[in-house]
Amino acid sequence: MFQKILIANRGEIAVRIIRACRELGVSPVAVFSEADAKALHVRMSDEAYCLGPPPSNQSYLNIAAIIAAATRAGAEAVHPGYGFLAENAEFARAVTTAGLTFIGPSPDAMEVMGEKTSARRAAVAAGVPVVPGTTESLRSYASARAAAAEFGYPVMLKAAAGGGGKGMRQVAEESELLSAFEAAQSEAAAAFGNAEIYLEKLVERPRHIEIQIFADANGNCVHLGERECSIQRRHQKVIEECPSPIDDPSLRELMGAAAIKIARTVNYVGAGTVEFLFSDATREFYFLEMNTRLQVEHPVTELVTGFDLVREQITVAAGAKLSFGQEDVRWRGHAIECRVYAEDPDNNFFPSPGPITFLRVPAGPGIRDDSGVIEGDEVSIYYDPMISKLAAWGNTRAQAIDRLRRALDEYAVGGIKTSLAFFREIVRDEEFIAGRLDTGFIWRFNERRRQERPHPAGGAQASSLQPDIAIIAAALAYARAQRKTAPDYQAGEQSKWKLAGREGILNRMVTKNGPKRG
């Protein structure tokens, strides 16, 4: 087992990896930007090294700075988490060239499966159906126009080098293509350092189903079932479930076998996710892409299967065999996860950065909250605004929904807007409860909201909760004003020491000297 692992990430996934390291007796090393100097993952680590200024291209995407930090710390391995450099083959090679272990697939496998057009070719070679579209990147607007004409509108433009909804545009007709093509290229270049775009035929009202796979270096490869990821905003998942409400064991085995075939074509090692589009009407599925990393939504699989995927990543990277075989995988109960974002759902999910002035996290039977913040922390303008992942497990989907509903009602965040109120409505929505899901769910849900909650002449949105919200907002504003006049707040010591006493997790980490800083 490794003695020391550097975590090349931030936020809740860095915290999650740190906890796995602690359980394995491994010393976790953090990296941070200047904006994250007081972040929770820094405080929880044994050592922490500054990578540079807040912009990610000067910090969390700075390969040389990360390798230098790992070397200086004496780390033996690097865990990339997800996002940033997690699917960057150049980074994986730099890690191995430096004599360190990359906790993930080989750079070669990452290049093939992480790049969407070559992944599509690999799926075709494995005999797995793919969404009709190009298998090469589009070289120009003219090539995009020709491809769109060949496959027929509507189409999707997608970044070849990444995911998460970035560099993705839906195009209904030719008049929209040029602006969408240029916007997708620009966004892809900014997010992944690669402006290449490919095109797919748009599948109408599909479910987004993904299969979690895991492989070791000894030839073992298993699948851990499916996750339903159809509830998305701007092509970014916000609610995920395991298993899918479809809950069809025969379909699970077919998709699981297809995912394993694809992984084996590139000798994949580690955790990965093969994503599919599924049509309720035809019961057909199509390969979409492979994420060559741990997924944001891995907790729902952990809750249902009982396996610790992050711990397994670390032990497999250290050379161990998978601790389970396909015959050991069982699916018990149902889990649903909400990604809690600092954003305003009523303003097109616009980010809501700022200080978290109050935080009450739910608990109780079947509840798990993976968070990267505590009360007093600040949500930065520089990074993804997700602050936590709230998951609920139950013996049945109905019980999981009941528990998630209760947990969302308990969850309270002050100082910023969040997606919590939006989720409270979704888990009470008849379509959601019935499991009638597809990637257009949120659009239709918002249409229903607009019809059910008309705006009166004065412009205020009609709601029975409006007086309560006004009272709560006024109380929070008053509390914030009072807090800012307190001497300990002005001295800047309140977050450091009062929160340490309040939060048991910091009792060990915030000491007289604190974690070693680089």
Side-chain angles (χ1 to χ4, degrees):
M1 180 47 60
F2 306 113
Q3 299 300 306
K4 191 179 286 189
I5 291 174
L6 182 134
I7 301 157
N9 218 295
R10 66 180 299 277
E12 64 82 21
I13 187 56
V15 171
R16 171 72 180 89
I17 298 165
I18 287 169
R19 287 178 170 142
C21 288
R22 294 283 182 215
E23 293 177 14
L24 288 165
V26 176
S27 176
V29 179
V31 291
F32 62 95
S33 72
E34 292 170 0
D36 278 341
K38 296 180 180 179
L40 182 58
H41 76 282
V42 174
R43 285 175 276 180
M44 287 182 67
S45 64
D46 289 341
E47 302 175 48
Y49 295 84
C50 184
L51 297 174
S56 56
N57 63 352
Q58 299 177 49
S59 52
Y60 295 107
L61 295 176
N62 187 333
I63 294 175
I66 293 171
I67 299 298
T71 303
R72 184 177 175 188
E76 300 146 284
V78 174
H79 196 307
Y82 50 68
F84 293 128
L85 295 168
E87 294 181 278
N88 187 304
E90 179 188 350
F91 177 56
R93 282 203 179 89
V95 170
T96 56
T97 300
L100 308 171
T101 298
F102 181 78
I103 301 178
S106 70
D108 291 342
M110 192 180 295
E111 270 182 340
V112 174
M113 301 311 300
E115 206 277 337
K116 306 303 185 260
T117 50
S118 59
R120 284 168 59 83
R121 293 194 294 271
V124 170
V128 176
V130 301
V131 179
T134 61
T135 54
E136 301 288 344
S137 296
L138 302 169
R139 300 300 178 187
S140 64
Y141 165 67
S143 62
R145 187 173 60 184
E150 176 185 352
F151 295 107
Y153 291 93
V155 297
M156 291 291 291
L157 297 175
K158 295 185 176 182
K166 295 179 174 62
M168 185 181 295
R169 293 293 186 277
Q170 181 174 325
V171 184
E173 56 188 34
E174 185 175 337
S175 63
E176 301 173 1
L177 184 62
L178 178 58
S179 61
F181 180 78
E182 291 175 344
Q185 277 193 323
S186 176
E187 191 170 279
F192 312 114
N194 183 334
E196 292 187 19
I197 298 295
Y198 70 103
L199 179 146
E200 286 180 348
K201 173 69 177 173
L202 181 70
V203 179
E204 301 284 357
R205 295 190 66 163
R207 289 182 185 262
H208 188 138
I209 307 275
E210 62 187 28
I211 300 289
Q212 175 72 60
I213 64 101
F214 218 118
D216 63 25
N218 300 286
N220 302 304
C221 186
V222 303
H223 77 84
L224 291 95
E226 84 279 9
R227 293 186 289 255
E228 172 86 51
C229 304
S230 298
I231 299 184
Q232 306 174 3
R233 57 103 174 92
R234 295 195 299 269
H235 308 293
Q236 176 69 62
K237 307 161 192 172
V238 294
I239 297 180
E240 300 101 343
E241 305 186 39
C242 178
S244 165
I246 301 171
D247 201 16
D248 182 341
S250 61
L251 179 64
R252 179 179 301 134
E253 289 309 310
L254 283 173
M255 297 179 78
I260 289 173
K261 275 185 184 179
I262 291 171
R264 288 194 183 281
T265 62
V266 291
N267 298 314
Y268 195 88
V269 174
T273 301
V274 181
E275 304 197 348
F276 298 93
L277 293 181
F278 174 80
S279 169
D280 277 340
T282 65
R283 307 294 288 180
E284 294 176 313
F285 61 86
Y286 304 94
F287 171 77
L288 183 62
E289 63 184 27
M290 183 175 186
N291 293 128
T292 57
R293 53 171 168 79
L294 190 71
Q295 289 283 84
V296 177
E297 56 273 18
H298 73 274
V300 291
T301 296
E302 293 184 328
L303 288 168
V304 170
T305 65
F307 296 115
D308 184 330
L309 300 186
V310 180
R311 183 187 181 102
E312 206 74 25
Q313 279 189 300
I314 295 170
T315 57
V316 164
K321 293 182 179 180
L322 272 174
S323 67
F324 54 88
Q326 192 64 62
E327 68 281 0
D328 301 312
V329 182
R330 298 287 184 272
W331 295 271
R332 176 177 171 268
H334 199 98
I336 309 175
E337 174 185 287
C338 293
R339 302 188 189 186
V340 182
Y341 285 95
E343 61 186 18
D344 184 359
D346 291 324
N347 186 22
N348 197 30
F349 299 95
F350 198 76
S352 176
I356 298 173
T357 59
F358 177 78
L359 181 63
R360 185 182 68 208
V361 178
I367 300 303
R368 168 175 169 175
D369 185 69
D370 286 25
S371 179
V373 299
I374 60 173
E375 187 176 295
D377 284 353
E378 183 158 345
V379 178
S380 172
I381 63 172
Y382 294 101
Y383 314 114
D384 185 276
M386 187 175 73
I387 60 176
S388 79
K389 302 179 307 194
L390 175 66
W393 177 90
N395 283 305
T396 63
R397 184 172 187 265
Q399 186 183 46
I401 291 174
D402 288 342
R403 286 178 167 175
L404 181 59
R405 186 181 298 133
R406 184 260 299 168
L408 285 166
D409 289 345
E410 287 181 14
Y411 217 135
V413 183
I416 56 173
K417 293 182 181 295
T418 72
S419 51
L420 287 168
F422 183 71
F423 292 140
R424 290 182 191 117
E425 293 188 52
I426 285 184
V427 297
R428 290 171 169 84
D429 179 74
E430 291 182 1
E431 294 291 303
F432 174 77
I433 292 170
R436 292 191 287 268
L437 311 178
D438 61 68
T439 55
F441 176 91
I442 283 184
W443 182 86
R444 293 194 305 277
F445 174 77
N446 281 333
E447 286 299 302
R448 291 196 298 275
R449 289 173 84 210
R450 278 189 278 272
Q451 293 171 8
E452 294 167 3
R453 298 162 62 185
H455 289 63
Q461 193 168 18
S463 170
S464 61
L465 295 177
Q466 194 171 353
D468 292 337
I469 292 172
I471 292 169
I472 292 169
L476 286 173
Y478 176 80
R480 191 185 310 172
Q482 292 295 308
R483 190 177 184 188
K484 287 186 176 181
T485 61
D488 58 356
Y489 184 96
Q490 292 176 337
E493 290 299 305
Q494 186 221 24
S495 293
K496 183 177 180 183
W497 299 114
K498 285 195 173 182
L499 288 172
R502 187 178 307 156
E503 300 289 339
I505 195 171
L506 293 181
N507 288 341
R508 182 182 62 78
M509 293 168 285
V510 180
T511 63
K512 180 178 179 181
N513 297 317
K516 180 181 176 183
R517 296 292 190 272

